[in-house]
Amino acid sequence: NAGVMQNPRHLVRRRGQEARLRCSPMKGHSHVYWYRQLPEEGLKFMVYLQKENIIDESGMPKERFSAEFPKEGPSILRIQQVVRGDSAAYFCASSPDSLSNQPQHFGDGTRLSIL
Amino acid sequence: QQPVQSPQAVILREGEDAVINCSSSKALYSVHWYRQKHGEAPVFLMILLKGGEQKGHEKISASFNEKKQQSSLYLTASQLSYSGTYFCGTEGSGGSNYKLTFGKGTLLTVNP
């Protein structure tokens, strides 16, 4: 089953460390989206990427957060110098294109805990 | 702006029906519905595009009233497997679905 693969499923970091979250889109999908979810909240858009390009990063904090989707390999969401407020579930989704009739398919998420 | 979902939570007995609403303050191009079980990925249910169409997925259907900027999800003859949190994601007018804005969700519990 070639669904959206995210790893790790759980990640624990101490304040000040770096967190790297990986996402491999579904086969044939070249559009990747990252969302953040807090308990009892909906998903909040962070960034939209196509291969080698960041299309929209308006939902991502300008400091400490970065994302990439290289030509080869998974998309990476990187959080530097993590703080307690970064604790959340981070979901990645993919789609074959960005047309409105195409669903975004989600991975199982990475649950980030900051000690 | 974040769409408003109602109710926030609903409890059903197996076989009962439910309606979940999603309202936006801005013009919409499409509405996407997802169901998420605790600790799992959101699972796509359906997309409704501008045009007021109604779509169905097993015993789950939905409508989209673009003039009222509202969508409703209808669950009929609920099953235990329907339990979970339902989210609507809205796309503003102009197309290009990448920037979905999700509501806070409706927690549906189906009891035997």
Side-chain angles (χ1 to χ4, degrees):
Chain A
N1 183 4
V4 178
M5 303 299 294
Q6 287 189 250
N7 67 82
R9 287 294 308 275
H10 301 274
L11 182 61
V12 180
R13 286 285 177 265
R14 294 189 181 280
R15 281 178 294 172
Q17 292 184 320
E18 178 179 289
R20 281 188 177 233
L21 289 61
R22 294 174 186 77
C23 169
S24 295
M26 284 181 72
K27 190 175 180 181
H29 288 192
S30 58
H31 298 244
V32 166
Y33 319 83
W34 285 93
Y35 292 86
R36 172 182 154 124
Q37 186 177 39
L38 293 170
E40 313 303 321
E41 295 284 330
L43 298 138
K44 291 205 183 318
F45 169 82
M46 297 181 72
V47 61
Y48 162 49
L49 310 101
Q50 295 178 26
K51 282 284 187 183
E52 300 185 275
N53 287 305
I54 297 174
I55 308 301
D56 185 335
E57 55 183 348
S58 60
M60 200 158 65
K62 296 217 181 322
E63 298 190 357
R64 301 188 299 109
F65 285 72
S66 62
E68 62 178 15
F69 189 15
K71 187 177 180 182
E72 301 290 339
S75 175
I76 306 284
L77 179 67
R78 184 180 175 206
I79 310 173
Q80 295 177 289
Q81 299 174 342
V82 296
V83 300
R84 288 245 169 91
D86 296 333
S87 294
Y90 292 84
F91 287 93
C92 165
S94 73
S95 67
D97 55 48
S98 63
L99 295 177
S100 297
N101 62 353
Q102 295 295 323
Q104 295 180 17
H105 295 276
F106 284 82
D108 285 336
T110 293
R111 276 124 190 105
L112 177 64
S113 298
I114 309 301
L115 301 179
Chain B
Q1 273 198 319
Q2 187 175 36
V4 176
Q5 288 187 233
S6 62
Q8 288 184 316
V10 58
I11 299 175
L12 301 175
R13 286 200 181 278
E14 206 172 358
E16 291 182 337
D17 302 340
V19 180
I20 300 172
N21 299 302
C22 174
S23 296
S24 175
S25 59
K26 64 176 187 178
L28 298 178
Y29 189 82
S30 70
V31 180
H32 301 225
W33 284 97
Y34 288 82
R35 175 173 61 213
Q36 184 180 30
K37 294 184 184 284
H38 185 69
E40 298 182 9
V43 173
F44 169 74
L45 293 175
M46 65 190 75
I47 293 174
L48 297 108
L49 300 176
K50 190 173 168 180
E53 63 183 285
Q54 185 153 350
K55 297 192 80 173
H57 175 78
E58 297 178 346
K59 292 179 182 173
I60 301 174
S61 61
S63 63
F64 177 26
N65 186 327
E66 66 199 79
K67 287 183 180 176
K68 292 186 177 180
Q69 295 148 199
Q70 289 178 348
S71 178
S72 294
L73 188 71
Y74 307 94
L75 301 104
T76 57
S78 59
Q79 304 169 15
L80 296 177
S81 62
Y82 286 4
S83 292
T85 301
Y86 289 77
F87 293 99
C88 67
T90 57
E91 174 193 5
S93 58
S96 190
N97 87 342
Y98 66 85
K99 208 162 185 175
L100 294 179
T101 304
F102 285 90
K104 289 190 175 183
T106 295
L107 177 61
L108 176 72
T109 304
V110 181
N111 293 320

